[in-house]
Structures are given as structure tokens and as C-alpha cells.
Amino acid sequence: MSSPATEGAAATALRSVLTRAQQAAERCGRSPEQVRVVAVSKTKPVSLIRQVYDVGHRCFGENYVQEIVEKAPQLPSDIEWHFIGNLQSNKVKSLLAGVPNLDMVESVDDEKIANHLDRMVANLGRKPLKVLVQVNTSGEESKFGVDPSYCVQLVKHVKLGCPNLIFAGLMTIGMLDYSSTPENFETLSNCRTEVCKELGIPEEQCELSMGMSADFEQAIEMGSTNVRIGSTIFGAREYLKKEKSQ
């Protein structure tokens, strides 16, 4: 494992994020172990992911199927991959077959994609797959996610109609600029309360994936168990630089 003196910028940034996440958890009387940091590595090279892996981090997230299926085989098999982008039905097989160590899909937002995942897990003989139901908490049409009013119904479908999926909790992205407001976090928390009441699930068994680079500390203080941190760890996304140069 690298020492802080020799590690690269991404590894140093990860240490800072983990410290900030721990402090946010402690401020609201929670154990730091109750918060998972997903290092979101979209557009970033395998070498940079490896740098973060080498200081002990194991949970990484990707937004695009093509990227994750290219990167995963080049990296150690004990990585816990989270798929956090919009998933199209025709990419489900590629994702599940190409990433044996896929730990979770965070972006299930309708029954169709849940059914596709359920069938493909069975067809490939994989162990049951953890999933989060994505909720559109901002009301913006451009955002994927189920309407909060339909959240309970979709969760019921996953739990009762998809035996090869494990319902693990709820996820939201927030506003158009990928920031969130306390209202977005509160909406997701309210959805969890309703889901747990309807299905008889203890709230501590229903994760809340909310909060990114700009707002993860606030999200943790409002109950997040899973924060998705990209640019704060890995630097600005490469495609943003390309867009600026056009």
C-alpha cells in the first residue's frame, strides 16, 4: 500500500473525502461504517483507478456499460463495481456477463429494466444482484428515475416479482446540474419511510444513495448511506475538457 508521501493526487483526494465523510457521519451521531463512498471513475483511465485501489479502496462506480466492461477485466476481481448510469435493456447482458464482480445496479427506474436484469441474472447463473430503485426527486423531465408517488409500487415489483434481484434501497441524482437541495434528500428519505412501512422493512436495511462531490456531507447528515464521488477524487471529467475546447 502506498504511503501518503508517495501516492498520487487521486489517492490523496480519496483520503480527504473519506475523512470528510467520516466527520459528517459523526456530526449526526452515526458510525462512519454506515456510509459507503463510491469512487466514480467514468472517463478515467484504468491507471488512475488502480492508484485509488492501491491505497485500499474497493468500491468504484461507472455510468456507461461500454466503459465498465472494458475496465473491469483489467482490474482486480475484489473491486465492488456499482453501475450508476441509465441502463438500457439491450445492454443488460453485456453488463452482467462482462462484469462478474458487479456488486450493485443503482439505477433501476421501471419494471421493464428490473425484469430484464432478473431474467439475465438467472440465465447467466449469477448470484442474486443487489439493486437500488432510482427516484426522480427534482421533478425534472430530463432526469431518469421513478416518480416518488410510484416508488412503493416499483419496489414491491422488485421484491415480489424479481427473485434474482435483492432490493437494497433507493437512489437519487438531484437537480439538473447534479447538485441537490435539502428538499431532494428529504424527498428520498420520505420515500424510504413509506417503502419500509408498506413492505415491513426496517429502515436500516434500506439504503439511501444520495450526495455527490458538491453536497455529499450534507447528504450524509440527512441520512445518506452511499455517496457517489467522482471529480473530487479523480479531477474534472475528460469529456468536459473536450467540450470546452470545441
Side-chain angles (χ1 to χ4, degrees):
M1 198 177 280
S2 305
S3 70
T6 60
E7 68 193 23
T12 303
L14 170 76
R15 290 184 189 277
S16 173
V17 165
L18 293 175
T19 299
R20 289 166 62 191
Q22 176 180 341
Q23 291 169 345
E26 290 171 347
R27 279 196 297 273
C28 56
R30 296 169 62 200
S31 165
E33 286 74 36
Q34 294 175 318
V35 179
R36 179 197 298 113
V37 172
V38 181
V40 180
S41 47
K42 68 178 180 182
T43 80
K44 297 301 178 180
V46 165
S47 58
L48 204 54
I49 300 171
R50 185 74 202 217
Q51 182 190 126
V52 173
Y53 175 92
D54 284 345
V55 294
H57 201 66
R58 294 294 178 267
C59 188
F60 293 85
E62 288 284 346
N63 290 64
Y64 305 112
V65 172
Q66 184 176 346
E67 268 197 81
I68 194 172
V69 299
E70 287 176 1
K71 292 174 181 177
Q74 302 178 60
L75 288 157
S77 60
D78 63 339
I79 285 179
E80 297 176 358
W81 288 105
H82 285 218
F83 186 79
I84 62 176
N86 178 250
L87 181 58
Q88 298 171 314
S89 298
N90 62 353
K91 300 286 181 66
V92 166
K93 184 176 182 180
S94 298
L95 176 65
L96 295 186
V99 189
N101 49 331
L102 180 70
D103 184 61
M104 181 183 286
V105 172
E106 295 202 18
S107 47
V108 171
D109 62 359
D110 63 26
E111 292 184 6
K112 179 182 176 185
I113 199 68
N115 293 340
H116 274 278
L117 283 166
D118 183 63
R119 283 197 298 270
M120 195 55 62
V121 169
N123 291 347
L124 294 172
R126 288 182 57 121
K127 66 178 184 180
L129 176 69
K130 289 184 284 187
V131 299
L132 302 182
V133 165
Q134 182 175 349
V135 182
N136 183 340
T137 58
S138 66
E140 297 173 40
E141 289 184 13
S142 60
K143 276 290 183 307
F144 295 105
V146 66
D147 186 272
S149 64
Y150 186 69
C151 182
V152 169
Q153 188 173 336
L154 182 53
V155 171
K156 279 184 177 178
H157 177 78
V158 171
K159 276 194 70 70
L160 304 177
C162 300
N164 301 291
L165 303 182
I166 299 170
F167 170 71
L170 306 174
M171 181 270 249
T172 194
I173 288 176
M175 307 301 285
L176 190 60
D177 62 356
Y178 291 91
S179 66
S180 293
T181 67
E183 289 76 21
N184 298 138
F185 298 149
E186 194 173 340
T187 296
L188 197 69
S189 183
N190 290 341
C191 285
R192 176 171 70 173
T193 300
E194 191 177 350
V195 162
C196 291
K197 181 181 176 184
E198 285 283 330
L199 280 81
I201 305 170
E203 287 203 8
E204 58 270 19
Q205 292 181 18
C206 184
E207 291 202 42
L208 290 182
S209 177
M210 59 188 194
M212 292 184 272
S213 286
D215 51 30
F216 71 91
E217 289 156 301
Q218 183 183 36
I220 291 168
E221 290 174 13
M222 294 188 68
S224 179
T225 61
N226 190 84
V227 292
R228 309 178 305 273
I229 314 297
S231 57
T232 298
I233 296 172
F234 292 105
R237 303 254 155 69
E238 300 305 320
Y239 57 70
L240 294 179
K241 295 175 185 175
K242 291 174 187 172
E243 286 169 2
K244 288 175 183 173
S245 65
Q246 286 175 355

